[in-house]
Amino acid sequence: MKRNGKALEEFKRANDVIQADKSVMSDACKALVLQDFAEKFNEYFDLTGLPRMELTCRNGAYFVTLCFEAERIKKFNVLK
């Protein structure tokens, strides 16, 4: 029983390392992504700065949180 617990612990540790490695995004890549988001967000808002992004990986799924500050929402019409 002790041996199975140790094997499970080692598997979990190895999985955590693999998941952490997959979630790494360089600062240059992150800056490029945020610049792309800012261009799109500027179609709908007057931004006061670049968006901020938090990226985490849990159980093989990525969770992306974007935050930005805007002075106003631009008026637009939805085409039908």
Side-chain angles (χ1 to χ4, degrees), residues 4-70:
N4 287 341
K6 186 173 181 173
L8 183 60
E9 183 180 318
E10 288 176 5
F11 173 78
K12 184 180 180 319
R13 187 171 44 243
N15 188 53
D16 290 345
V17 169
I18 291 168
Q19 294 302 325
D21 188 47
K22 285 176 29 180
S23 66
V24 172
M25 180 183 274
S26 72
D27 289 339
C29 184
K30 188 174 183 178
L32 181 61
V33 169
L34 289 173
Q35 186 176 355
D36 287 346
F37 279 132
E39 288 177 18
K40 184 48 98 176
F41 293 153
N42 269 316
E43 294 179 15
Y44 302 98
F45 303 93
D46 279 337
L47 300 182
T48 58
L50 283 178
R52 294 176 306 279
M53 178 174 61
E54 181 182 324
L55 177 67
T56 57
C57 182
R58 287 179 281 178
N59 299 325
Y62 289 95
F63 294 85
V64 182
T65 305
L66 294 167
C67 295
F68 61 90
E69 188 175 313

